[in-house]
């Protein structure tokens, strides 16, 4: 039977879609996840814009339990999207017309730009809280862009976040008003062009991390979503510097400021953009600086292992063996940006050292993910390290 009742995610049982311990929820039997942060590949999207994911591995017979569940559709995002140049033009102008300094909380509030040591406030935007305010902003945007290119009017089709209502009016993001102030965070590609934007809800809630969603219009018939692009913090400085990956564009900005000898990229969650990260880091050292909870959060450990595994197969394919390091710091501090701001020393672990420090429940997830994903061909370096470390851990338990 389908269970009734919902359960909020927690530190012990994080969201199985985004891996975070807050905001999201599941049904009591974990057969359906409701993710507040991600709608990428969701089975459907709730009226409030949450991603609804049916867990097909839960052992529940979905065809019987639900009548006519739509098949999980793999949307080919790229075929719907406008060119990077077009998206860049629209998003850049949007931020220029509504820059972050217009909103005090975004700059000086908790989790705001000043606290993160980011000084170039005008690179970020503020999205009006009310649908009416966004309508006005869109009007100004259309007007300004039309003045700049009389010969070439923009259709706005294929620009995530924009859509047309039944009257044909151009709209931005949701129809609903928000109670939070909304920061607009650009995600920049390797060529320096803005690919997409994330929204940060600025309300501070005790013991909860910041809430981020994509500026997306994928739930509207005439809209689309951005996928999960990788953010390049300083694309012009591309060179042979080691690649450091962290979560999110804001963390990447702070990290880049402190570690100018690294090429810093930010993904939108521990489990996203792995292919793009590996491609960017090809033939260069890769340093993984996800939130410092791979030692306590099995989901993070599993995602990190999946990234390492992809990197190792890329090393085999393209014949290179530059190092992979897991960056860690004082366990009481969560993000690499906070550690850098606090002047805490970073430690660069080899994969083997990282595995040795994992507690059994995290190590189990790593091993499990390998057995399930890898099968025979995963008899690579990491698998044997995992087995070795795991058998030792079991002996000593
Ligand atoms: Zn989630």
């Amino acid at each position: 039977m389908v269970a009734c009742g919902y359960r909020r995610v927690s530190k012990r049982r994080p969201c199985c879609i985004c891996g975070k311990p807050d905001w999201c929820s599941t049904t009591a039997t974990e057969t359906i996840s409701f993710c507040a942060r991600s709608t990428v590949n969701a089975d459907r999207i709730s009226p409030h814009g949450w991603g609804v994911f049916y867990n097909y591995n839960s052992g529940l017979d979905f065809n019987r339990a639900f009548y006519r569940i739509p098949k999980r559709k793999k949307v080919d995002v790229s075929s719907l999207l406008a060119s990077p140049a077009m998206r860049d033009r629209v998003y850049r102008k949007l931020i220029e017309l509504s820059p972050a300094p217009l909103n005090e909380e975004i700059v000086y509030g908790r989790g705001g730009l000043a606290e993160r040591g980011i000084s170039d406030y005008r690179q970020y935007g503020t999205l009006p809280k009310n649908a009416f305010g966004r309508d006005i902003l869109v009007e100004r945007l259309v007007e300004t862009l039309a003045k700049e290119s009389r010969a070439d009017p923009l259709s706005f089709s294929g620009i995530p976040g924009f859509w047309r209502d039944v009257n044909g009016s151009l709209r931005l993001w949701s129809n609903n008003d928000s109670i939070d102030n909304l920061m607009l965070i650009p995600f920049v590609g390797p060529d320096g062009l803005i690919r997409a934007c994330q929204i940060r809800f600025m309300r501070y809630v005790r013991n909860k991390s910041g809430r981020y969603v994509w500026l997306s219009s994928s739930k509207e018939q005439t809209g689309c979503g951005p996928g999960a692009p990788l953010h390049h913090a300083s694309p012009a400085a591309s060179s042979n510097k080691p690649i450091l990956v962290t979560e999110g564009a804001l963390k990447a900005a702070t990290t880049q400021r402190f570690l100018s000898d690294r090429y810093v990229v930010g993904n939108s969650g521990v489990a996203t953009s792995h292919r793009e990260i590996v491609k960017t880091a090809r033939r260069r050292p890769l340093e993984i600086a996800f939130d410092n909870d791979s030692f306590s959060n099995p989901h993070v450990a599993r995602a990190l292992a999946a990234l390492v595994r992809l990197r190792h197969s890329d090393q085999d394919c393209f014949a290179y063996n530059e190092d992979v390091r897991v960056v860690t710091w004082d366990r009481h501090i969560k993000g690499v940006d906070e550690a850098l701001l606090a002047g805490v020393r970073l430690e660069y672990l080899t994969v083997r050292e990282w595995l040795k420090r994992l507690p059994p429940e995290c190590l189990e997830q790593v091993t499990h993910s390998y057995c399930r994903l890898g099968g025979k061909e995963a008899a690579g370096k990491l698998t044997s390290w995992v087995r070795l470390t795991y058998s030792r851990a079991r002996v000593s338990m």
Side-chain angles (χ1 to χ4, degrees), residues 15 17-20 24 34-38:
C15 172
I17 304 302
C18 67
K20 301 282 180 183
C24 314
F34 302 87
C35 184
R37 295 184 176 85
S38 178

Side-chain angles (χ1 to χ4, degrees), residues 54-93:
Y54 303 116
N55 180 4
Y56 293 98
N57 298 323
S58 62
L60 183 75
D61 183 348
F62 275 90
N63 290 324
R64 210 178 276 178
F66 295 93
Y67 184 59
R68 271 198 295 160
I69 278 191
K71 272 211 158 161
R72 184 170 292 193
K73 49 176 189 222
K74 278 265 176 205
V75 185
D76 182 11
V77 182
S78 58
S79 67
L80 301 168
L81 285 178
S83 70
M86 193 72 90
R87 276 179 276 159
D88 179 78
R89 211 172 132 209
V90 170
Y91 291 137
R92 228 166 257 285
K93 191 56 74 180

Side-chain angles (χ1 to χ4, degrees), residues 107-123:
V107 177
Y108 300 107
R110 202 150 182 163
L113 297 170
E115 186 189 279
R116 295 167 186 273
I118 297 173
S119 53
D120 195 356
Y121 303 150
R122 300 194 88 82
Q123 277 191 31

Side-chain angles (χ1 to χ4, degrees), residues 164-178:
R164 291 200 182 269
D165 64 17
V166 284
N167 305 316
S169 305
L170 188 66
R171 309 292 305 277
L172 177 56
W173 197 45
S174 141
N175 251 334
N176 304 324
D177 296 342
S178 162

Side-chain angles (χ1 to χ4, degrees), residues 26-292:
T26 70
T27 48
T29 50
E30 295 187 22
T31 46
I32 309 175
S33 295
F34 302 87
C35 184
R37 295 184 176 85
S38 178
T39 54
V40 178
N41 291 332
D43 289 286
R44 61 185 184 82
I45 294 169
S46 81
H48 294 98
W50 292 38
V52 182
F53 298 82
Y54 303 116
N55 180 4
Y56 293 98
N57 298 323
S58 62
L60 183 75
D61 183 348
F62 275 90
N63 290 324
R64 210 178 276 178
F66 295 93
Y67 184 59
R68 271 198 295 160
I69 278 191
K71 272 211 158 161
R72 184 170 292 193
K73 49 176 189 222
K74 278 265 176 205
V75 185
D76 182 11
V77 182
S78 58
S79 67
L80 301 168
L81 285 178
S83 70
M86 193 72 90
R87 276 179 276 159
D88 179 78
R89 211 172 132 209
V90 170
Y91 291 137
R92 228 166 257 285
K93 191 56 74 180
L94 184 69
I95 289 170
E96 193 186 308
L97 291 175
S98 185
L102 290 183
N103 186 301
E104 200 161 316
E105 192 185 9
I106 291 176
V107 177
Y108 300 107
R110 202 150 182 163
L113 297 170
E115 186 189 279
R116 295 167 186 273
I118 297 173
S119 53
D120 195 356
Y121 303 150
R122 300 194 88 82
Q123 277 191 31
Y124 302 87
T126 170
L127 193 66
K129 286 158 79 162
N130 305 320
F132 180 68
R134 290 192 290 274
D135 288 345
I136 306 265
L137 178 59
V138 168
E139 272 178 40
R140 286 177 60 214
L141 178 68
V142 172
E143 222 168 80
T144 318
L145 287 172
K147 266 187 210 154
E148 286 177 3
S149 60
R150 262 157 287 161
D152 168 31
L154 277 178
S155 77
F156 286 87
S157 113
I159 308 216
F162 291 87
W163 54 285
R164 291 200 182 269
D165 64 17
V166 284
N167 305 316
S169 305
L170 188 66
R171 309 292 305 277
L172 177 56
W173 197 45
S174 141
N175 251 334
N176 304 324
D177 296 342
S178 162
I179 50 169
D180 295 53
N181 285 314
L182 306 169
M183 189 198 298
L184 209 50
I185 306 160
F187 269 59
V188 174
D191 48 11
L193 299 176
I194 301 175
R195 293 286 194 282
C197 291
Q198 266 193 344
I199 296 166
R200 183 181 196 276
F201 294 80
M202 293 302 295
R203 183 169 35 128
Y204 171 72
V205 183
R206 230 176 107 86
N207 296 328
K208 284 199 175 191
S209 55
R211 193 183 153 210
Y212 297 81
V213 297
W214 288 109
L215 176 62
S216 166
S217 46
S218 61
K219 62 176 176 165
E220 307 295 340
Q221 223 176 2
T222 54
C224 63
L230 184 66
H231 172 68
H232 296 246
S234 196
S238 177
S239 65
N240 284 327
K241 292 174 184 174
I243 304 287
L244 184 141
V245 58
T246 181
E247 283 169 79
L250 291 174
K251 260 179 210 159
T254 306
T255 308
Q256 184 70 83
R257 198 170 72 92
F258 282 93
L259 305 177
S260 55
D261 56 345
R262 304 291 200 277
Y263 183 91
V264 180
V265 294
N267 61 354
S268 54
V270 285
T272 62
S273 312
H274 285 187
R275 284 185 185 283
E276 224 181 317
I277 294 165
V278 167
K279 203 177 152 206
T280 307
R282 189 168 291 152
R283 298 199 175 87
R284 299 201 235 172
L286 172 64
E287 297 167 354
I288 307 171
F290 291 155
D291 278 355
N292 208 6

